[in-house]
């Protein structure tokens, strides 16, 4: 993407069968667990976006082999506790997932590493991960809550029982990854089920990991000391990337698209449930299992939507989809109210504020509370704005979708940021017939 700006204009009749790139969460985990395994892991469908490549670089700096090969990626693992080459500085770019999961890995290895990131990542809270990891034995050079941080791992970690104070799969995963290196059982308890790819993949790689459920409350226990073995991992299509294409089809007249091979793990499908409640014509076809995760082809057509109340309890299953849901809600009839959005304040940007500002700039009637967003739909939205992305890929893509349905085009101020998660975005939008173009 050479230009720093992209602009989207009114479009109609999007059509095609497409695939979106691999799931970001699963891609990070495939490289990490492959590096902690003994033997070789082959990964097909890995998301080759900046966030995931930064995790690959970090693992390489710690001594794992992470290489592109013809049919995907080959990871040569070093075994649990074997990532002990002195890495110096590890740069995670824009990626909270990469930084936080790798803190759990470094915690259990005999290394010191300086964790750094870009301006956006350097503002995000790391205390939520450092608090449990320090209890386990991680050494933290500085007092602060933000990057850069100098972290020193230990070969003598203590297993803990940790109740998540915030619903975060990143925190859960960091503790479980550290727990893999500690003797005995490490347990994470969550009140709201967050994405469960770490526990699924740990089991797939042969770790001793168990989940017990009591209604929505889950306890995940990993027993340290068990060895992981290299595996072949197939990464399904990212539902959070598919969400933008789905939104595009919903807000442009005469559209009918199918996205093949999308992950439909129930901890990630709140967005689809919400769209159905709004009246969207959306269906999962050809449901199947691929590499231990459920996938489907998602078919969606332009639909007449009605505003609804999205309950707070659903937030963990669609946390990355709220910006684009807000855009969809702007085209629905009536009001959409989204509750339980506190975590949006600490994403790549303050996503609640960035979404509200973008909506307002485009002429949409909207308001936000501390952790809620209210959007009033309209059949004619002005557009004609350049939306500030605040180094946030999902804000960038959400407001390009907005421009497909507004009276005047919508531009974004930072197109390259999209490459952190979805480098193919503009190309795929063009493939289905959406008017997303470079502008200087
Ligand atoms: C992710 C977890 C979520 C999500 C992020 C990816 C993961 O963050 O927003 O994009 O891969 O574990 P939190 O765990 O902070 O909610």
């Amino acid at each position: 993407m050479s230009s720093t700006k992209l602009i989207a204009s009114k479009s109609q009749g999007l059509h095609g069968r497409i695939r979106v790139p691999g799931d970001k969460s699963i891609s990070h985990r495939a490289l990490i667990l492959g590096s902690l395994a003994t033997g070789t892991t082959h990964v097909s469908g890995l998301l080759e976006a900046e966030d995931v490549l930064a995790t690959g670089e970090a693992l390489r700096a710690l001594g794992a082999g992470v290489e592109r090969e013809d049919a995907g990626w080959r990871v040569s693992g070093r075994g649990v506790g074997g990532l002990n080459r002195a890495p110096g500085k590890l740069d995670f770019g824009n990626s909270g997932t990469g930084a936080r999961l790798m803190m759990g890995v470094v915690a259990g290895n005999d290394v010191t590493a300086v964790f750094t990131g870009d301006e956006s990542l350097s503002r995000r809270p790391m205390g939520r991960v450092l608090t449990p990891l320090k209890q386990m034995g991680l050494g933290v050079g500085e007092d602060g809550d933000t990057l850069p941080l100098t972290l020193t791992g230990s070969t003598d970690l203590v297993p803990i029982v940790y109740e998540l104070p915030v619903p975060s799969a990143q925190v859960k995963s960091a503790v479980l990854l550290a727990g893999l290196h500690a003797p005995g059982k490490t347990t994470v308890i969550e009140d709201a089920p967050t994405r469960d790819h770490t526990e699924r993949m740990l089991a797939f790689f042969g770790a001793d990991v168990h989940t017990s459920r009591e209604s929505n409350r889950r306890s995940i226990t990993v027993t340290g000391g068990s060895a992981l073995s290299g595996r072949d991992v197939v990464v399904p299509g990212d539902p959070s990337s598919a969400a933008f294409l789905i939104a595009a089809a919903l807000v442009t007249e005469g559209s009918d698209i199918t996205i093949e091979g999308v992950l439909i793990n129930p901890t990630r499908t709140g967005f689809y449930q919400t769209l159905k409640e709004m009246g969207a014509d959306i269906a999962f076809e050809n449901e199947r299992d691929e590499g231990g995760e459920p996938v489907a082809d998602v078919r969606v057509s332009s639909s007449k939507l009605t505003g609804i109340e999205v309950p707070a309890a659903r937030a963990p299953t669609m946390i990355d989809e709220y910006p684009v849901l807000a855009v969809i809600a702007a085209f629905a009839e009536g009001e959409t109210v989204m509750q339980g959005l506190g975590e949006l304040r600490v994403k790549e940007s303050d996503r609640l504020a960035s979404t509200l500002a973008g909506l307002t700039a485009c002429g949409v009637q909207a308001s936000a509370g501390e952790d809620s967003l209210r959007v009033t739909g309209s059949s004619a939205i002005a557009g004609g704005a350049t939306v500030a992305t605040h180094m946030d890929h999902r804000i960038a893509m959400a407001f390009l979708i907005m421009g497909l349905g507004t009276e005047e085009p919508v531009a974004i101020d930072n197109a390259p940021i999209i490459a952190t998660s979805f480098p193919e975005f503009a190309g795929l939008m063009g493939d289905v017939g959406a008017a997303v173009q470079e502008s200087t």
Side-chain angles (χ1 to χ4, degrees), residues 65-351:
V66 179
E67 308 299 333
R68 203 175 193 306
E69 57 182 9
D70 283 349
W73 286 75
R74 185 180 59 245
V75 184
S76 307
R78 294 290 171 259
V80 175
L83 290 176
N84 46 23
R85 184 193 289 166
K89 201 174 94 171
L90 300 177
D91 183 356
F92 292 94
N94 192 253
S95 178
T97 307
R100 294 190 179 120
L101 267 56
M102 287 301 295
M103 287 180 181
V105 171
V106 161
N109 284 275
D110 188 15
V111 284
T112 293
V114 181
F115 279 58
T116 65
D118 70 9
E119 234 179 280
S120 152
L121 185 56
S122 303
R123 281 193 295 265
R124 297 180 66 186
M126 296 295 147
R128 51 179 55 202
V129 179
L130 297 176
T131 298
L133 294 182
K134 280 199 263 189
Q135 283 173 28
M136 296 179 80
L138 175 73
V140 184
E142 300 80 1
D143 275 340
D145 179 34
T146 52
L147 302 187
L149 287 165
T150 308
L151 304 183
T152 301
S154 161
T155 52
D156 200 17
L157 288 185
V158 180
I160 58 169
V161 176
Y162 192 67
E163 188 148 355
L164 291 182
V166 286
S168 166
Q170 294 177 358
V171 179
K172 170 174 69 176
S173 302
V175 175
L176 292 175
L177 288 168
L180 196 60
H181 298 76
K185 294 181 188 306
T186 293
T187 299
V188 179
I189 302 166
E190 56 182 7
D191 273 332
T194 64
R195 64 191 69 194
D196 61 359
H197 310 304
T198 300
E199 40 279 46
R200 279 181 188 247
M201 208 184 284
L202 276 169
F204 181 62
F205 274 78
D208 183 355
V209 61
H210 295 283
T211 301
S212 63
R213 298 178 175 80
E214 215 180 277
S215 67
N216 261 346
R217 196 172 159 86
R218 297 186 186 190
S219 300
I220 306 105
T221 298
V222 66
T223 305
S226 53
L228 309 188
S229 311
R231 293 277 189 257
D232 289 352
V233 180
V234 180
V235 183
D238 194 327
S240 300
S241 297
F244 296 106
L245 284 131
I246 288 163
L250 286 173
V251 306
T252 59
E253 273 173 38
S255 300
D256 182 359
I257 64 169
T258 300
I259 308 165
E260 294 175 345
V262 180
L263 176 75
I264 54 164
N265 177 317
T267 61
R268 300 285 297 278
T269 47
F271 177 66
Y272 300 87
Q273 187 183 345
T274 300
L275 294 180
K276 281 184 190 155
E277 289 173 12
M278 294 175 82
D281 184 359
I282 184 167
F284 292 163
E285 297 178 345
N286 191 17
E287 288 187 38
R288 57 209 186 265
D289 223 73
E290 273 179 14
E293 292 275 6
V295 301
D297 303 331
V298 180
R299 181 170 181 182
V300 58
S301 314
S302 0
S303 308
K304 196 166 163 19
L305 302 174
T306 313
I308 60 162
E309 174 126 359
V310 189
R314 197 176 293 164
T317 64
M318 55 176 294
I319 193 66
D320 293 335
E321 279 67 79
Y322 284 101
V324 78
L325 177 66
V327 166
I328 294 170
F331 294 96
E333 195 183 318
E335 277 203 340
T336 297
V337 182
M338 301 160 226
Q339 308 278 10
L341 308 189
E343 278 297 296
L344 291 193
R345 299 252 181 226
V346 290
K347 293 296 177 189
E348 285 80 335
S349 67
D350 175 344
R351 250 180 210 166

Side-chain angles (χ1 to χ4, degrees), residues 355-366:
T355 302
L356 178 65
L359 290 169
T360 308
C362 291
V364 179
Q365 222 185 307

